[in-house]
Amino acid sequence: MTTRRSFLKLLGAAATGSLVAEYADLWQGHAFADSLDQLYNLPLKGEVRILHTTDIHAQLLPIYFREPNVNLGIGLAEGKLPHRVGRSLLDSVNLQESSIEAYAFTYLDFEANARKYGKMGGVANLATLYRLLKEQAGKERVLTLDGGDLWQGSATSLWTRGRDMVEVSNMLGIDIMTGHWEFTYHQHETLSNIHAFNGEFLAQNVRIKEDSLFEDTYFEMAEEFDGIGLYDEDNEIPFKPYTIREVADYRIAVIGQAFPRTANANPQGFIPDWTFGIREDELIELVNQINIDESPDALILLSHNGMDVDLKLASRVNGIDAILGGHTHDGIPKPVEVLTPNGETCLVTNAGTNGKFVGVLDIKVRDGLEKGMAYHLLPIFDSLIESDPDVSKLVSSIRSQVYQDSVIESRASAHKVHPARLGVRYDDILSEKLAIADRTLYRRGNFMGTWDQLICDALMHEYDAQIALSPGFRWGTTILEGDWITMEDVMTQTAMTYGETYVQEMTGETLLTILESVADNLFDPDPYLQAGGDMARVSGMHYSIEPSKPLLERITEAFLDNGQRIIADGTYIVAGWGVVGDYPDGRLVWDIVRDYLKSASGDDNVIRISKMYHPTIIGVSDNPGIMDYEGSLL
């Protein structure tokens, strides 16, 4: 039998810390590992183990990812997980600021800790950790789940239309998954990928549009993929809503919940035949049906709702034992226990992003006794794990593919193929050095990130615009100060199927309405009305925002760099990208950023950000979801 020593790298003298291991007793507080050598030593507690990943965003290799210093909770969510950052987060889960957990779960001393502890994630490391955790529990007792956003987020996933990550998913042995950005390839490609996936793709909350059921083309498409996309014609259900898995003689029910606002947050044109929603009533009915008809030993909701939505859902639906969530990229060290309407407890978690973590849920169901659950969110440290050789070989094979003229990068007819890349290996394209970072470049946070500022600067430069807008995506890796920015790094911020840019005249009314709309998606007090992304990034203008205000009252002031107020009937030259509706035909954003980095860096190759556009935030100075904010707090 394989030993732990063959899985784990030898630990140097500097590798010390306290990493939490919540395995002393079921639900009886924290126990801490005495050393990092105990980090991945998790004997099974109970009879069934579920491994959970989410929001890997197609990151094949180990990465840096800085956690947010702004993740505001408004109204009833204020001060509650996941809306605590930095020291407040560590204090709420009894972790030490000086420990390695501070690096894994917070932004604190990120630069120093990143250089000390190294990169995280990587699918070859994940494969090793999967194997170790399965052997500790007994392979027959383990079920492996992924919450979606697995097949999008890198250049190779874009250029292969997600197929590279399908191959990785199969080699990792993922049993069940749901989706979100998986739907941002063309509908035909999405079904093709699901067909090639060896596990089960579940989504109880997706429906086929009634009009589509009167079109032969939809039936022909589903038939091409052995009925995938037409699970239940009578009820307009395209995908299997749930599954029952026999795990070591126990019956585990898993329901899939795809991102409910996919058709609003992403281009509807990619998915013309499907609608999405939370569908709470249908979920209640399905859970009741499963518990009555199937008598499972445990029922899990595999969700891509976002954690706030899952917390509300758990409080309104009986019969779910745990919600393993995703979408909002929250790395939560300690699960949240939510009382259901009948007074039982539902465990709600979220397993972070970019492959940094694996959630481990052990379930005690033996002899029909009351269930107990032990949960731990394991950080994946590249410096501590020997990468799986077979998965490493697959990754190398993916990256050695050659860029072809048949590649469809985006929706637009123009600029689909960069001629200089034709016939060139992916690895060679992505390793191109563009500039040296003058500071840590990160994205994640409710407002502006340094990576976003660079993207906005590139758009302003390309189009000579007054204002630039950039979407508040939560995916995108981090670059350390002084490191080279490569083409791969640019693609981790921008690689998606609607990367076209635009420049246009926009009225002040339109501009402010856009900001108000995005703010409502983020700060609406009802989680069911939130979209889960961050605020649009803005450059060339300044604004003030009061998150606790209602719709159309949050943006309280806006003006240009010269001090001129933005007025409703004024007109402004605005550049941007990532349009969900009618799309432009401008250059692809990654090409614009590449050219800007090469042309605007100095003789020392350093690209310098001259100004950060942090908005002024009103009424949140005491909120534990904001710390060390670089803008103004009123």
Side-chain angles (χ1 to χ4, degrees), residues 435-501:
I436 296 172
D438 75 332
R439 67 195 72 192
T440 296
L441 300 179
Y442 65 91
R443 168 175 282 165
R444 178 69 179 95
N446 285 163
F447 298 99
M448 179 62 87
T450 46
W451 248 123
D452 300 291
Q453 186 63 63
L454 266 185
I455 293 171
C456 287
D457 290 348
L459 290 168
M460 299 271 281
H461 179 268
E462 175 77 10
Y463 290 115
D464 193 25
Q466 292 174 281
I467 296 169
L469 298 176
S470 187
F473 298 131
R474 292 190 173 186
W475 44 270
T477 60
T478 300
I479 300 293
L480 302 185
E481 178 182 350
D483 285 357
W484 276 96
I485 306 168
T486 66
M487 189 63 193
E488 181 156 31
D489 299 320
V490 171
M491 295 302 288
T492 65
Q493 310 298 317
T494 58
M496 65 181 198
T497 49
Y498 50 109
E500 302 88 0
T501 58

Side-chain angles (χ1 to χ4, degrees), residues 171-189:
M171 185 164 280
L172 288 172
I174 293 173
D175 295 308
I176 301 166
M177 69 175 291
T178 190
H180 169 203
W181 280 86
E182 286 75 13
F183 294 104
T184 63
Y185 301 107
H186 294 288
Q187 192 168 269
H188 186 275
E189 295 169 322

Side-chain angles (χ1 to χ4, degrees), residues 393-463:
K393 184 177 179 180
L394 174 59
V395 170
S396 296
S397 174
I398 290 168
R399 295 174 65 85
S400 67
Q401 293 183 46
V402 172
Y403 189 100
Q404 302 290 344
D405 60 5
S406 61
V407 170
I408 301 173
E409 287 189 343
S410 66
R411 298 172 293 180
S413 58
H415 312 296
K416 288 191 298 188
V417 176
H418 195 295
R421 298 185 186 126
L422 293 177
V424 181
R425 284 168 36 117
Y426 291 170
D427 236 342
D428 294 333
I429 297 170
L430 298 175
S431 62
E432 180 186 12
K433 292 182 177 179
L434 305 177
I436 296 172
D438 75 332
R439 67 195 72 192
T440 296
L441 300 179
Y442 65 91
R443 168 175 282 165
R444 178 69 179 95
N446 285 163
F447 298 99
M448 179 62 87
T450 46
W451 248 123
D452 300 291
Q453 186 63 63
L454 266 185
I455 293 171
C456 287
D457 290 348
L459 290 168
M460 299 271 281
H461 179 268
E462 175 77 10
Y463 290 115

Side-chain angles (χ1 to χ4, degrees), residues 199-233:
E200 292 185 280
F201 187 93
L202 306 179
Q204 75 85 22
N205 59 325
V206 184
R207 297 291 182 269
I208 306 169
K209 292 180 179 178
E210 185 176 356
D211 290 347
S212 298
L213 291 175
F214 291 97
E215 298 176 1
D216 291 340
T217 53
Y218 188 83
F219 289 89
E220 291 168 359
M221 181 176 62
E223 183 178 0
E224 180 181 352
F225 299 112
D226 298 328
I228 295 175
L230 196 64
Y231 176 78
D232 182 348
E233 178 184 347

Side-chain angles (χ1 to χ4, degrees), residues 25 93 147 163 199 268 322 344 368 377 380 409 436 470 511 568 607:
D25 292 300
V93 294
R163 189 51 64 93
Q268 176 69 46
E344 295 180 348
L377 188 59
I380 303 174
E409 287 189 343
I436 296 172
S470 187
L511 180 61
I607 185 72

